[in-house]
Amino acid sequence: MGSLTDIGVAAGINIVSALGFLLAFAVLRIQPINDRVYFPKWYLKGTRSSPRHLGSVFSKFVNADLSTYIRFLNWMPAALQMPEPELIEHAGLDSAVYVRIYLLGLKIFVPIAVLAFILLVPINWTSGTLENEKSLSYDQIDKLSISNLGKGSKRFWAHIVMAYVFTFWTFYVLYREYKVVTTMRLRFLANQNRRPDQFTVVVRNVPPDPDETVSEHVEHFFAVNHRDHYLSHQSVYNANILAGLVEKKKGLQNWLVYYENQHAKNPAKKPTMKTGLWGLWGKRVDAIEYYTTAIEELCKQEDEERQKVITDPNAIMPAAFVSFKSRWGAAVCAQTQQTSNPTLWLTEWAPEPRDVFWPNLAIPFVELSVRRLIMAVSLFFLTFFFMIPIAIVQSLANLDDIERMLPFLKPIIERNSLKSIVQGFLPGIALKIFLILLPTILMTMSKIEGHTSLSGLDRRTASKYYLFLFVNVFLGSVITGTAFQQLNNFIHQSANKIPEIVGESIPMKATFFITYVMVDGWAGVAAEVLRLKALVMFHIKNAFLVRTERDREQAMDPGSLDFGTTEPRIQLYFLLGLVYAVVTPILLPFIIVFFSLAYLVFRHQIINVYNQQYESGGQFWPDVQRRLVIALIVSQILLLGLLSTQEAEKSTVVLLPLPVLSIWFHYVCKGRFEPAFIKFPLQDAMVKDTLERANDPTLNLREYLKDAYLHPVFHKNDMYELVAIDEEEKNPLVATKRRSRMNTPVDSKFNSSSGTNEGEFNRMPPP
Amino acid sequence: MGSLTDIGVAAGINIVSALGFLLAFAVLRIQPINDRVYFPKWYLKGTRSSPRHLGSVFSKFVNADLSTYIRFLNWMPAALQMPEPELIEHAGLDSAVYVRIYLLGLKIFVPIAVLAFILLVPINWTSGTLENEKSLSYDQIDKLSISNLGKGSKRFWAHIVMAYVFTFWTFYVLYREYKVVTTMRLRFLANQNRRPDQFTVVVRNVPPDPDETVSEHVEHFFAVNHRDHYLSHQSVYNANILAGLVEKKKGLQNWLVYYENQHAKNPAKKPTMKTGLWGLWGKRVDAIEYYTTAIEELCKQEDEERQKVITDPNAIMPAAFVSFKSRWGAAVCAQTQQTSNPTLWLTEWAPEPRDVFWPNLAIPFVELSVRRLIMAVSLFFLTFFFMIPIAIVQSLANLDDIERMLPFLKPIIERNSLKSIVQGFLPGIALKIFLILLPTILMTMSKIEGHTSLSGLDRRTASKYYLFLFVNVFLGSVITGTAFQQLNNFIHQSANKIPEIVGESIPMKATFFITYVMVDGWAGVAAEVLRLKALVMFHIKNAFLVRTERDREQAMDPGSLDFGTTEPRIQLYFLLGLVYAVVTPILLPFIIVFFSLAYLVFRHQIINVYNQQYESGGQFWPDVQRRLVIALIVSQILLLGLLSTQEAEKSTVVLLPLPVLSIWFHYVCKGRFEPAFIKFPLQDAMVKDTLERANDPTLNLREYLKDAYLHPVFHKNDMYELVAIDEEEKNPLVATKRRSRMNTPVDSKFNSSSGTNEGEFNRMPPP
């Protein structure tokens, strides 16, 4: 346990480092050379081009206008200025709803913190049990926590009452927020322009038919069973080889453009290259000629492969995107069961075209169940056996043990300032390193589970990650110090002992979690805004690799909100806040600072930086709500356990209804709001259909939907806009334009082999 | 624990009593006077009328034909003869599927028993651990059980392997059975004649509208949102007062018919009656005149009330039955969400008209959630605190304790035969008495939960009852002897201790459960076929109350399969069988005898006796399957617990995958089959629609559906067929005719104020 001094030092370090990050950010963001790192979203929107200075070469790279330095914190109010409806239009509903999670944190914890500081802190402080028991070593911070009450104290009633107050306040805020988000989603869906996914349903597990191809089978099935509504369908091709060829051709085309640029700059000299590895060995040839031939070659190969994919019946997967004449027809098909065998002809809403995860479209039902079983078992092992290394590192971080093991280090360790630094930092960092390894593994597991949309994959990954964080960061940190093999312990403990053990160590871990909030939360958020990795990578790429305008655009890497990893981390703070609200309220201000800072930073990021890969319309909210309620229930059970060790057993019976009420609250909210995130109501579909029929009676829907769900490799073989690379550095640093001129969403990094650039492209003949 | 002798005595008693019941049944059923008790179904079908003898009055009541006594066990093969398709047509799919549960018991346990007796019993018997440890007192029966293996014996591997074999065999049988039942249900639905519920959806929580009545609102909503499919709708009235009046009028009409019969028999004498209480006091008046006036009076009152209900907007509940032009349209509406607020306009398949539970149609969403919360909490308390009296009674049944407490009883108790009888019987009977009180309470709780169909109520009651049986009969019997306050104990035990404690006492309770199977199972089933209660009640009513043919029909009381109480009891036998299959296989033959006997008896009963109130098409099967899998998992966990106390801990790790596999198996089956029990696939709907359009192009569906979902009190004010009461006793005992001549289902006791008799009736004007 750290003393108040330890916390002070850790807080100091973290505040300084956070401020350092923020200052660095404030300075770096106004340098023209970094403009594409800190404002990529505006570039993608097409409302900003590279800053140009009429002045010196120097001013192309460094901002010499001192007045801008004075206003270096301007970005903070600017981040808050954009009103929510505009934010939704600008960054999408997913992002707008996502930042509401941070706001929700403030809504829950600010009033709770105020109440706790007015009522609980004085009650704890004046109890003085710790002072009386001289045998115990205690910290100042423990005097503010529930530990300061003696066993069997009457003052516990205050905590019980506050547990009820906090719970009901949380219910109220959660219910209201769920309602607001639901309304936002419904309004968003209602206001959306015509989009292909509104008319389209993805059908999986099309059964094989001896007489018909998959495509014919799909057509006949839906023409019969949705007689008045079926419009058309799009088969799904297994186009992995083709995708590889397209990717390769794109690389060659890039080089071609590069050499053509070179030639244009210096028409006298024909650019040459070597044909060997990385252009270092081999015969020297005319570069433009070489690439032109190579591309032609590849085009032929590609055409052959394309023909093969289209004509080969084995390349057609037993899945299809089926489009309907109206949203009503699609809503009906997505929500109903098609045949008496519920494992065939599975229908669900098609994700947005850019949200589709193509490789998973053709997994049969039984294989899917087997995969999920294996992944569930793997997740269990991953969660419980990954813990062991963390525990080892953490026990190393216990300096007293190190002293005992390695006595020669004693003089170094005993120097007070160092000890504080190490004890403040090490445990948090040890955890942090482990956590970086994880999301990729979890995402792979979700992919194996067979979800068909990127948004679905993100949501599943988030669930897994939350389980992991809960067991390993939360429980692991609370328990490991006292008992090593958690799982084993838990199995051997009685059902009412588990909350007692965890609950009892909760107050003692407050210091650790305060440090964790500062290291992982404050500094983490400040680092997020600085985008150090993106900054470095951009400049490296810019210096060595950028050949064309398109290259520069790709080097930009705006990134996106990574729901799968960031949301579970926020949930951890909610969990900490709810657990410590009654026990050690001193933790709450740290969490509130985190939520405020994060809200500010992420609002700035979604406005200026991130480019979402897909738009799911806030579909993740039910998951957020569920995990919040879980956190609430965990906090209630731990409080129960804690109080029952304090010889206040009879009064704790009063706490028993809380978890029951919370579970009930969860089901009420689920029943009331969740369907809005899963189903599309027929009334809303009918309204939109009717409006559209009135506004646009001549619409040719078949033409509109024709290629929407074509596999991306068939889509476009685009050439890039041949913008001379020099042009773009002539623009000055323009003020951010808030009005977007672009309505069509940009293709995701994942699916796009092309982006939305116009150019020559071959449309695929309809299959 | 009882010795082999105890079991022998108990088995003897129970076999004798069961045989006694069966013999009594065999004799009683061929007496003409009991014909309506043992063959009511054929009367209701109209294929059988009262047996008439041309001979003496004596032969009207007693069967003097000795040859029939010789063939007194004829009913057994007869019960098995009817092939399943005919059984479905005769008794409905619910009944046919229900008896398959018993058959399923045989399919699971016969092979398991054979294997266990070949492999496990010799292994247990030859271990001889119990013989070596002289300090232990043991029974012969324990030598056949797993207790006979010493701690840490290598022979446990045989049990572990068998646990796997039994589990996979059970998986196989369960999967196959689910598949068969699903196919049966789908075929049943496909072959069904046109029925109103195929076209109808029940809508609940219609929101209030300031400008429109509920009826108008419903009409407009569906005419807009299901434009091409909406046909008509039927409002739901709150008609409780009216229902009372109708009931009262029916009583009076009954008396009128009775007196008219009297008058017809003896035209000279006008029948008279007294107007006071029960016809004992008051003025003597002409009975026919009196009742005619009274009925006229009541008719007026009824008409007024009917007008009031129809015109009063407050009497219309915010629910409606909405009918569609096609099954496809209804299937779509039932499976989709109508508006963005998922708590309004809730649609689901309408139950059959006779299956509707009218009072629950108008409960708003929030009230429903509150009701369910309260009922869940009540169920918890009911389950865990009802247990205390059982434990007291059972501890009284411990004769050694009684001897100690009341020493003067010692000489009586010590007489060996008496001791065996008491110890064999008492614990089983004590349980039995408690169980009789319960179903009504549970059904009331289900009604409060707000389910809208009788079949749904039955299913929910069964779930509750199963929980109760599991905790109180199974766990209660296993644990109570050793520890009183189960719940408290369990909370204070560690998670891995609970299976150990329960598992450890499992082998010791084998004797008790064998007795239980015999008392509750064998004798219970034998008593079921005798229908003692129905027999006595029929003769009492017949002697004192029967006035008209209709009275006699009502006195008949065919009863029905009471799914809510009988199914959980069967599940208890499955649980016992699965738990003891590995531990004490000697229990299995007793269970197999139970299943065989029950199969025979219930097949006989559904053919000859029971008259189902509703037909849900086997919708309960997912519940049956779920509880079976639960039993399987419980048996695996208990085996795990048991083995871990036998110092075979390392080998028990091998058992851990079993519960995981079972849970996975459950989800696979659920995904594969359950939708067929909840949703109606569009393809099947389309096929039936198309067929019907071809077969019956002129069908006026609106007319067909007009009054189908009218509240029963509005339906018909029927008069009864005025069959002279004497007529019916002139028919001889006819051989049961298997061919049914009736296609329309009989109204349930519950809803029908009328039955399907024809007669004068007032159609209600359309609202």
Side-chain angles (χ1 to χ4, degrees), chain B residues 8-9 46 57 87 94 155 205 301 335 343 351 359 392 519 522 529 559 599 616 671 676 702:
Chain B
V9 172
V57 178
L87 186 67
D94 277 342
R155 294 185 178 206
N205 294 9
Q301 241 178 300
Q335 292 177 49
T343 61
I392 293 172
V519 174
W522 298 7
V529 77
Y599 179 64
S616 74
R702 192 185 296 273

Side-chain angles (χ1 to χ4, degrees), chain A residues 52 58 74-75 77 107 182 185 200 239 337 408 510 528 546 587 595 616 627-628 642 651 671 684 691 698 707 725 764:
Chain A
R52 50 187 142 89
F58 174 76
N74 264 5
W75 66 271
K107 284 180 197 159
T182 307
R185 175 177 162 88
T200 307
Q337 191 188 336
F408 56 89
E528 178 68 39
V546 167
L587 191 107
F595 276 121
S616 74
R627 287 194 272 274
L628 267 162
L642 172 61
S651 57
D684 299 16
L691 274 177
T698 60
D707 288 340
I725 197 162
M764 208 195 82

Side-chain angles (χ1 to χ4, degrees), chain A residues 198-213:
Chain A
Q198 292 165 345
F199 297 90
T200 307
V201 160
V202 54
V203 183
R204 292 192 292 158
N205 294 11
V206 176
D209 189 288
D211 304 322
E212 293 184 314
T213 64

Side-chain angles (χ1 to χ4, degrees), chain A residues 663-710:
Chain A
I663 293 169
W664 177 72
F665 171 76
H666 175 65
Y667 282 105
V668 170
C669 284
K670 197 179 158 85
R672 172 70 184 80
F673 298 116
E674 198 174 293
F677 292 83
I678 300 168
K679 296 174 173 178
F680 190 55
L682 296 189
Q683 189 180 33
D684 299 16
M686 192 54 99
V687 167
K688 271 190 93 79
D689 284 341
T690 312
L691 274 177
E692 187 170 77
R693 220 168 289 137
N695 291 338
D696 195 355
T698 60
L699 169 72
N700 184 346
L701 197 59
R702 192 185 297 272
E703 191 58 36
Y704 172 72
L705 293 171
K706 202 175 155 208
D707 288 340
Y709 280 97
L710 211 50

Side-chain angles (χ1 to χ4, degrees), chain B residues 211-242:
Chain B
D211 303 322
E212 294 183 315
T213 64
V214 172
S215 179
E216 285 166 353
H217 198 183
V218 169
E219 173 141 12
H220 291 165
F221 183 86
F222 286 95
V224 168
N225 292 307
H226 292 267
R227 195 180 297 166
D228 308 326
H229 308 285
Y230 171 75
L231 180 71
S232 64
H233 74 280
Q234 174 66 60
S235 303
V236 176
Y237 297 91
N238 183 356
N240 291 334
I241 300 173
L242 187 58

Side-chain angles (χ1 to χ4, degrees), chain A residues 170-375:
Chain A
T170 312
F171 284 174
Y172 170 72
V173 176
L174 283 182
Y175 186 87
R176 226 173 121 257
E177 191 69 19
Y178 212 154
K179 197 169 183 175
V180 169
V181 172
T182 307
T183 316
M184 281 168 72
R185 175 177 162 88
L186 290 171
R187 199 181 302 135
F188 179 76
L189 293 180
N191 292 340
Q192 251 178 351
N193 292 328
R194 179 164 54 238
R195 288 181 4 167
D197 50 305
Q198 292 165 345
F199 297 90
T200 307
V201 160
V202 54
V203 183
R204 292 192 292 158
N205 294 11
V206 176
D209 189 288
D211 304 322
E212 293 184 314
T213 64
V214 172
S215 178
E216 285 165 351
H217 199 185
V218 170
E219 173 141 11
H220 290 164
F221 183 86
F222 285 95
V224 167
N225 293 307
H226 293 265
R227 195 181 299 165
D228 306 327
H229 308 284
Y230 170 75
L231 181 71
S232 65
H233 75 280
Q234 175 65 59
S235 304
V236 176
Y237 297 93
N238 183 354
N240 291 334
I241 300 173
L242 187 57
L245 290 177
V246 169
E247 213 46 49
K248 196 174 165 195
K249 196 175 82 178
K250 209 182 301 171
L252 296 181
Q253 279 170 333
N254 237 7
W255 279 109
L256 179 60
V257 172
Y258 171 72
Y259 283 113
E260 281 173 350
N261 282 348
Q262 296 260 321
H263 189 52
K265 269 200 251 179
N266 187 357
K269 190 186 158 210
K270 277 228 160 193
T272 58
M273 61 168 288
K274 288 177 178 172
T275 54
L277 186 70
W278 292 349
L280 299 176
W281 286 277
K283 220 174 72 184
R284 180 163 293 275
V285 292
D286 179 337
I288 295 180
E289 215 165 85
Y290 174 78
Y291 279 112
T292 315
T293 345
I295 289 171
E296 267 167 27
E297 189 80 12
L298 214 53
C299 274
K300 253 182 237 161
Q301 240 178 302
E302 201 188 306
D303 283 344
E304 275 167 30
E305 178 64 27
R306 178 168 289 133
Q307 278 308 315
K308 213 178 108 194
V309 169
I310 296 168
T311 50
D312 182 8
N314 293 326
I316 298 185
M317 305 210 276
F321 290 93
V322 178
S323 297
F324 291 84
K325 288 179 193 151
S326 63
R327 293 170 183 87
W328 193 90
V332 161
C333 183
Q335 292 177 51
T336 50
Q337 191 188 336
Q338 306 308 312
T339 65
S340 54
N341 183 339
T343 62
L344 299 178
W345 297 104
L346 293 177
T347 53
E348 53 185 328
W349 271 113
E352 278 189 299
R354 56 184 176 154
D355 189 13
V356 176
F357 186 72
W358 297 90
N360 275 352
L361 279 172
I363 305 170
F365 177 79
V366 176
E367 191 184 327
L368 216 58
S369 337
V370 175
R371 281 167 174 232
R372 288 190 183 168
L373 171 67
I374 295 172
M375 283 306 108

